[in-house]
Amino acid sequence: MGRYDPVPEDRFTFGLWTVNNPGADPFGSAVRERMSVRHIVEKLAELGAYGVNFHDNDLVPFGSSATERDRIVADFKQALADTGMVVPMATTNLFAHPVFKDGAFTANDPQVRAYALQKTMDAIDLGVECGASTYVCWGGREGTDSDACRDPKVAIQRMRDAFNYLCEYVLSRDYELRFALEPKPNEPRCNIYLPTVGHMMAFIDTLDHPQMLGVNPEVAHETMSGLSFHQGVAQALEAGKLYHIDLNGQKIGRYDQDLRFGSEDIKGALNLVRVLEGTMGGTKYEGPLHFDAHAYRTEDEQGVWDFALGCMRTYNILKEKAHAFDNDPEVQEIIATPVDGTLDPLLEGFTLEGAGTIRATTFDVDALGGKGLRYERLDQLMMEHLMGVRG
Ligand code: GCO
Ligand code: MN
Ligand code: MN
């Protein structure tokens, strides 16, 4: 086994929908046969993954009878038991069926909203039965093409009603389950409600049981908005709200590309891994490292496994680079913060006396403003670590 090859302790997971993506796009049909769930579980286990996640309909096709559902679940659980794979997360497909074309929890028709709750409660039961402790909600259709169709304030109220409802459902069943809400700015709708990590965190604070919900940020989604992914992730982690993560790669300003993790913006990926692994100190992310990505349309099945292994190896390589970078003495010297025994304690919080001292201090602003910070050298050191000539 190679030095960077994954092992279950690395906590890497894939959605059934990711490796089973058949390569269709809006301009062309599928290029790969769908694989059986057992085959996917076995292949991912062989590669060293920790688990799989699924939408209700990735496992149980839409419209299956109760008997078919139970048979599928039993076979799936057997595949998990045979391979040692686990299901840390489950989710609902609230976007594929035409019934959701106007949204699910935010649709104008109360019948659609009630159906979305019914489908989600069924899918929560399914997820919990398979061992899931995190429930992801991605509102792909919760948005607009014509903004004339509804008051966005009403949409947010409907979202709030839906999540309060689902939290009560989970509590009523005594499930050990937390929700991770996944923001996305657009696609497939022109504008999607709660489009970024920041919007989502503010929304969660308005719910009845905020501790039951956190965020599931995705590299591609924040990058589509032109935002710094690792800063959004760091804010969620610092607030104790990083309940899950969707790792992939994305070029800025494009459609949701779902590329192999780290294959775009390698410096952004390194900074993300530094945050997740806590190599700069502070809280470390302990949850599953989930890849929500898929292989290029050029690939056959072998290409899918090359893609999956690539995601995991890149993470492990970046993890090593993150440690090496943050332990590099020259890096530490540049980012070491100056210590001022008088002022440092005063900055920890307002006191009348402290404010008096700060206001009476004479600062040499010209000297402070004239000091070079050596961040050019620092960034070049990061590049040299990444390019493999240092560390
Ligand atoms: C997308 C989303 C989805 C969700 C998935 C889980 O842009 O299509 O990222 O892949 O993550 O539906 O809820
Ligand atoms: Mn996505
Ligand atoms: Mn996603």
Side-chain angles (χ1 to χ4, degrees):
M1 207 179 93
R3 177 167 158 206
Y4 302 108
D5 284 344
V7 291
E9 292 68 40
D10 292 326
R11 313 183 319 277
F12 293 129
T13 63
F14 287 83
L16 288 181
W17 70 93
T18 63
V19 286
N20 222 4
N21 181 298
D25 67 21
F27 302 95
S29 53
V31 295
R32 295 185 283 269
E33 294 284 325
R34 292 230 192 237
M35 300 176 277
S36 74
V37 168
R38 170 167 277 274
H39 182 64
I40 293 173
V41 171
E42 286 173 353
K43 286 300 288 188
L44 285 174
E46 208 179 291
L47 290 179
Y50 167 65
V52 286
N53 306 314
F54 57 85
H55 299 89
D56 48 356
N57 303 135
D58 300 335
L59 186 62
V60 182
F62 192 93
S64 300
S65 69
T67 330
E68 279 166 346
R69 174 209 185 271
D70 291 348
R71 184 191 50 77
I72 292 168
V73 173
D75 288 352
F76 178 54
K77 283 176 149 176
Q78 191 56 53
L80 296 174
D82 293 346
T83 54
M85 292 274 277
V86 296
V87 173
M89 176 276 257
T91 180
T92 329
N93 185 326
L94 292 175
F95 43 88
H97 195 282
V99 69
F100 300 124
K101 65 188 175 200
D102 187 39
F105 300 144
T106 59
N108 283 348
D109 189 331
Q111 293 234 8
V112 175
R113 299 205 299 277
Y115 175 64
L117 286 177
Q118 180 199 80
K119 194 171 193 288
T120 306
M121 288 187 285
D122 288 349
I124 287 176
D125 291 351
L126 174 68
V128 170
E129 192 179 336
C130 296
S133 55
T134 301
Y135 203 80
V136 162
C137 296
W138 172 62
R141 298 279 172 198
E142 315 288 9
T144 56
D145 308 307
S146 165
D147 284 316
C149 72
R150 98 179 46 82
D151 177 349
K153 297 195 293 302
V154 170
I156 299 300
Q157 284 156 11
R158 288 181 186 156
M159 283 289 224
R160 178 177 303 118
D161 289 345
F163 286 111
N164 284 339
Y165 192 104
L166 292 170
C167 284
E168 294 299 342
Y169 175 68
V170 165
L171 292 169
S172 77
R173 300 297 294 252
D174 277 333
Y175 289 154
E176 288 284 326
L177 192 70
R178 300 195 303 183
F179 291 94
L181 311 189
E182 180 176 344
K184 185 176 182 180
N186 58 271
E187 196 198 337
R189 303 311 294 275
C190 186
N191 293 306
I192 296 181
Y193 302 119
L194 304 169
T196 68
V197 170
H199 289 80
M200 204 56 101
M201 294 220 301
F203 168 71
I204 289 171
D205 265 350
T206 72
L207 301 180
D208 290 347
H209 301 283
Q211 74 289 354
M212 290 178 71
L213 307 96
V215 289
N216 179 36
E218 174 170 318
V219 177
H221 299 180
E222 301 299 296
T223 307
M224 286 164 72
S225 298
L227 299 175
S228 158
F229 185 66
H230 89 276
Q231 288 192 12
V233 166
Q235 186 175 348
L237 190 61
E238 201 270 341
K241 285 293 180 192
L242 188 64
Y243 285 13
H244 200 262
I245 192 158
D246 277 4
L247 300 171
N248 55 22
Q250 173 75 25
K251 274 194 200 291
I252 204 161
R254 309 280 171 97
Y255 63 94
D256 188 6
Q257 295 176 302
D258 289 339
L259 298 169
R260 194 177 70 256
F261 175 64
S263 62
E264 292 295 334
D265 185 16
I266 189 76
K267 207 157 68 171
L270 174 64
N271 280 314
L272 172 64
V273 174
R274 290 172 76 210
V275 167
L276 294 174
E277 296 297 323
T279 58
M280 292 171 279
T283 324
K284 192 171 164 321
Y285 170 72
E286 309 274 3
L289 294 160
H290 170 67
F291 298 104
D292 187 9
H294 56 78
Y296 302 139
R297 194 163 184 267
T298 49
E299 304 309 289
D300 59 9
E301 186 186 327
Q302 182 52 47
V304 170
W305 305 124
D306 291 342
F307 147 83
L309 186 60
C311 285
M312 298 188 281
R313 281 179 55 86
T314 296
Y315 190 97
N316 281 345
I317 294 165
L318 287 175
K319 184 157 108 180
E320 188 177 281
K321 300 240 175 249
H323 283 286
F325 179 76
D326 282 309
N327 286 324
D328 183 325
E330 199 180 339
V331 168
Q332 290 179 344
E333 190 198 318
I334 296 174
I335 61 180
T337 52
V339 175
D340 185 312
T342 315
L343 291 175
D344 275 340
L346 301 184
L347 296 175
E348 282 164 19
F350 178 86
T351 60
L352 275 177
E353 202 195 331
T357 310
I358 287 178
R359 300 189 88 176
T361 305
T362 308
F363 295 98
D364 187 349
V365 292
D366 291 332
L368 289 168
K371 202 160 70 179
L373 299 179
R374 308 209 61 226
Y375 293 167
E376 278 290 354
R377 174 69 187 152
L378 180 67
D379 198 78
Q380 180 64 18
L381 287 171
M382 179 172 275
M383 293 303 298
E384 295 197 6
H385 274 271
L386 278 172
M387 292 188 288
V389 296
R390 191 178 170 102

